[in-house]
Amino acid sequence: MRTILVASALSLIIALLGTPLWIRLVRRLGYGQMIREEGPQAHLGKRGTPTMGGTVFIVAALVGYFIAHLATTTRPTVSGVLVLLLMTGLGVVGFVDDYIKVFKQRSLGLRSGAKMIGIIIVGVVFALLSLRFPNGYDITPATTHLSFLRDFGPSIGPYLFIGWALLMIAGTSNAVNLTDGLDGLAAGAVGSVLGAYVLIGNWQLRNSCTEVALAPNCYTVRDPLDLAVVASAVLGALVGFLWWNAPPAKIFMGDTGSLGLGGVIVGLAVMTRTQMLFIVLGGLPVIITLSVIIQVGSFKLTGKRVFKMAPLQHHFELSGWAETTIVVRFWLISMLCVAAGLALFYIEWMPGH
């Protein structure tokens, strides 16, 4: 528990103090956000806002995590390091994308194929390593089983697992990227999911199959406490960043941040054996992604659009909603999804269940 508190506090302080320094550096270098001409016209006024802010909270989370372990004389675990590796690797892909945008002064960075290749490389490395490093109980960071509250069903084998992991990683990172369309929206939504994983990691530790008498509902998770430490470190860093990213934003996280955040939450889902539950916990990015799929599908099939603009948040912008109203209401939707996910997670422990 001390490591969780130290990691979150350190990450928060580093991000809170480091973000304005990054803003000044980016402004000096002239690395301002490019805005798509086809987007909402109200966004054109945001052109030139410092971007690549995800760099700050990724670094803050990494520093907070490792210094917290040093300060509490505990060791980082393979599970925790692999989740941070996934976050950082996808953050690097996003950073390259952001850099091309600001360097070439265009709204499109990496070509979609090149970006996907980067995501696949990082995802394959994560998936392969996550099936290795068994502990003394022969529990690896991830398994070749599908999971909801824990693993279920027969093994799907390593090759199908890698494909499934890549699908989750690509889908989640792009979902968070689509959610990052308004000031503070993605940071607040992902923050609530990270808070859920702090609770889930702690509960899995207290009811671990290796720590308590075997029971039908115990958890075979390799490093549940350290996964909670990772979630708390990223959450603290995200809160510090959100201080400057809240509307009207003084800095954007860019693809550096959105891809990195997608990586950390999907990594936590894989390691805590909550892959299917993650769809509920991350309900807001799921809804926003579905709005894009519906819009594109409807236009291709019928030539008509369901929404005024996709992703969904832009539909409400064009409907006259204020940006802050959309952000706060979408945060509330995200919190309701997290509450529903946690209710599903804990319901089997309720008396009389």
Side-chain angles (χ1 to χ4, degrees), residues 17 42 51 77 91 121 180 215 221 264 270 289 291 343 350:
L17 300 180
T51 186
T77 66
I121 291 172
D180 184 34
V221 176
V264 72
V270 171
T289 302
S291 73
M350 297 296 289

Side-chain angles (χ1 to χ4, degrees), residues 11 32 228 313 326 333:
S11 299
Q313 60 268 31
I326 300 169
I333 293 171

Side-chain angles (χ1 to χ4, degrees), residues 111-155:
R111 295 183 181 277
S112 58
K115 184 188 289 188
M116 186 55 63
I117 289 173
I119 292 172
I120 289 172
I121 291 172
V122 175
V124 168
V125 171
F126 169 80
L128 286 173
L129 292 178
S130 68
L131 294 176
R132 305 188 59 166
F133 308 105
N135 62 7
Y137 298 95
D138 203 33
I139 301 174
T140 52
T143 69
T144 56
H145 294 263
L146 299 178
S147 61
F148 181 55
L149 304 180
R150 56 182 55 79
D151 291 338
F152 66 84
S155 168

Side-chain angles (χ1 to χ4, degrees), residues 104-118:
K104 294 192 174 182
Q105 290 294 290
R106 67 188 194 193
S107 60
L108 296 175
L110 279 173
R111 295 183 181 277
S112 58
K115 184 188 289 188
M116 186 55 63
I117 289 173

Side-chain angles (χ1 to χ4, degrees), residues 74-259:
T74 55
R75 291 184 178 181
T77 66
V78 172
S79 299
V81 171
L82 283 177
V83 173
L84 292 174
L85 174 68
L86 181 60
M87 175 185 72
T88 306
L90 293 181
V92 169
V93 174
F95 185 89
V96 173
D97 185 50
D98 288 333
Y99 184 79
I100 291 173
K101 290 176 186 175
V102 297
F103 183 75
K104 294 192 174 182
Q105 290 294 290
R106 67 188 194 193
S107 60
L108 296 175
L110 279 173
R111 295 183 181 277
S112 58
K115 184 188 289 188
M116 186 55 63
I117 289 173
I119 292 172
I120 289 172
I121 291 172
V122 175
V124 168
V125 171
F126 169 80
L128 286 173
L129 292 178
S130 68
L131 294 176
R132 305 188 59 166
F133 308 105
N135 62 7
Y137 298 95
D138 203 33
I139 301 174
T140 52
T143 69
T144 56
H145 294 263
L146 299 178
S147 61
F148 181 55
L149 304 180
R150 56 182 55 79
D151 291 338
F152 66 84
S155 168
I156 61 174
Y159 297 110
L160 280 178
F161 168 76
I162 291 172
W164 170 242
L166 284 176
L167 180 63
M168 289 185 65
I169 291 166
T172 304
S173 57
N174 281 289
V176 176
N177 186 248
L178 290 172
T179 305
D180 184 34
L182 299 178
D183 298 353
L185 179 56
V190 174
S192 61
V193 177
L194 289 168
Y197 276 114
V198 174
L199 298 176
I200 288 172
N202 270 287
W203 188 258
Q204 289 179 332
L205 174 69
R206 295 175 182 274
N207 297 279
S208 171
C209 295
T210 63
E211 300 292 335
V212 298
L214 289 177
N217 51 2
C218 65
Y219 303 100
T220 53
V221 176
R222 189 188 191 280
D223 307 296
L225 179 60
D226 203 41
L227 293 172
V229 174
V230 170
S232 67
V234 181
L235 176 58
L238 204 53
V239 171
F241 173 77
L242 187 56
W243 181 268
W244 305 99
N245 181 238
K250 293 180 172 58
I251 186 170
F252 299 142
M253 68 171 66
D255 281 15
T256 308
S258 60
L259 295 187

